[in-house]
Amino acid sequence: MLRARVLTALALATLLIAAMLYSPVSISAAILALILLIGAWEWSAFLAVALPWRTLYVVALAALGLAGFQYTRAPMRFESLMELGIAWWLVALIWLIWAPQRVARLAAAVAGILALLPTWIALVHIDAYWGRGAQWTLFILALAFAADTGAFFAGRQFGRVHLAPRVSPNKTWEGVLGGMALALVVASLGAAWFGVSAAVFVPLCLAAAGFSVIGDLTESLLKRHVHLKDSGRLFPGHGGVLDRIDSVTAATPVMTLGLIWLGVGH
C-alpha cells in the first residue's frame, strides 16, 4: 500500500506540474475544474441523499464555480471571497472542537460549497491573472501536500498522542509536527525561489499548513459520520480526490490572502 501511495503521488505530481506549466490557462482551469467536480461528487456522499440529489449538488457547485469566478475577477471581490473562506475554516475549527458528533445534512452541503469553491476559484484566478501564476498555484498545492505527507510519515513512525480522537483516531500531534516541519522546508525553498522575505513568507506558509490540518480533520469528521474510510477509490493507496485535496481546501484561502497582503498578487 505504501509503495502504491508513493508511485501514485509521483505520477500525479508529474502530470500536474506539466499541465500547469506547459498548457494554456484554459486547460489548467479545466483540469482544476475536473478535480473540483470529482471532489464535489465525493462530498455529496456526506449528505446521505439519493443519486439524483447528489447529481444536482455537483451541477449546482459547477454553476456556482463559474459564476463565482466571473464575479470575483475584481480584486476586492476576490479578496473578500478569500476572507469568507478563512472565516469558514475558523467555524469548522469550532465545529471540530465543540460538536464533532453533530452533522446535519444542510451543514454538510454548505460546508462543501465553502470548502471547494474558494479553492478552485483561487487557484484558477492565480494561474490566470498573477505574475508567475502557474508557479504560485503549484507552490500552494506543494505546500499543502507537503504538510499532509509529513504528517502521514511522522504520524506513522512516531505517532503516540492523539490529535482529535473523536474525529480521527489515527491522527496524532507528532504527525502535525512532522507536517509542519516539512512545510517549513518547502516554505524556505519557496522564499528563495520567489525572492520574497522569509521573515514574513515562512510564517504565512506555516499558518496555511496549520489550517490544512483543519481541512483534513473536517473531511474526516464527515467521513466518520457516514461510515466511510476513504472518500473514494480513484487513486491507489490514496483513496479519493477529497482524501488528497482536503488539506488544500483549507490552506489555499489563507495562503492566497496572505500573498495579496504581501503585494504578490491581486
Side-chain angles (χ1 to χ4, degrees), residues 59-86:
V59 172
L61 268 172
L64 287 172
L66 291 174
F69 177 74
Q70 293 298 324
Y71 181 77
T72 58
R73 291 177 71 177
M76 290 300 294
R77 291 175 179 175
F78 180 66
E79 187 172 340
S80 296
L81 179 64
M82 295 303 101
E83 291 171 348
L84 175 62
I86 294 171

Side-chain angles (χ1 to χ4, degrees), residues 114-125:
L114 294 176
L116 295 171
L117 288 188
T119 300
W120 180 77
I121 292 172
L123 295 176
V124 175
H125 183 101

Side-chain angles (χ1 to χ4, degrees), residues 71-236:
Y71 181 77
T72 58
R73 291 177 71 177
M76 290 300 294
R77 291 175 179 175
F78 180 66
E79 187 172 340
S80 296
L81 179 64
M82 295 303 101
E83 291 171 348
L84 175 62
I86 294 171
W88 151 244
W89 289 113
L90 292 174
V91 171
L93 177 60
I94 296 172
W95 187 9
L96 290 165
I97 294 172
W98 295 106
Q101 274 75 41
R102 300 182 63 180
V103 181
R105 186 174 296 165
L106 178 60
V110 173
I113 294 171
L114 294 176
L116 295 171
L117 288 188
T119 300
W120 180 77
I121 292 172
L123 295 176
V124 175
H125 183 101
I126 292 169
D127 186 33
Y129 300 123
W130 288 17
R132 304 175 72 178
Q135 294 181 30
W136 279 116
T137 300
L138 286 171
F139 177 80
I140 292 172
L141 294 172
L143 178 69
F145 292 150
D148 198 29
T149 301
F152 173 80
F153 284 103
R156 181 186 178 97
Q157 185 68 30
F158 306 109
R160 297 291 184 274
V161 182
H162 293 294
L163 174 63
R166 292 191 297 171
V167 176
S168 182
N170 293 328
K171 291 182 173 59
T172 63
W173 281 105
E174 290 85 354
V176 171
L177 293 176
M180 296 298 284
L182 191 52
L184 175 61
V185 174
V186 172
S188 300
L189 294 173
W193 177 262
F194 291 107
V196 294
S197 171
V200 290
F201 185 71
V202 170
L204 170 62
C205 292
L206 293 180
F211 267 77
S212 75
V213 179
I214 303 175
D216 193 348
L217 288 174
T218 301
E219 194 220 352
S220 294
L221 180 153
L222 293 168
K223 286 192 298 186
R224 192 173 182 83
H225 177 69
V226 293
H227 309 292
L228 288 175
K229 181 180 183 297
D230 296 317
S231 64
R233 300 179 180 178
L234 186 61
F235 303 130

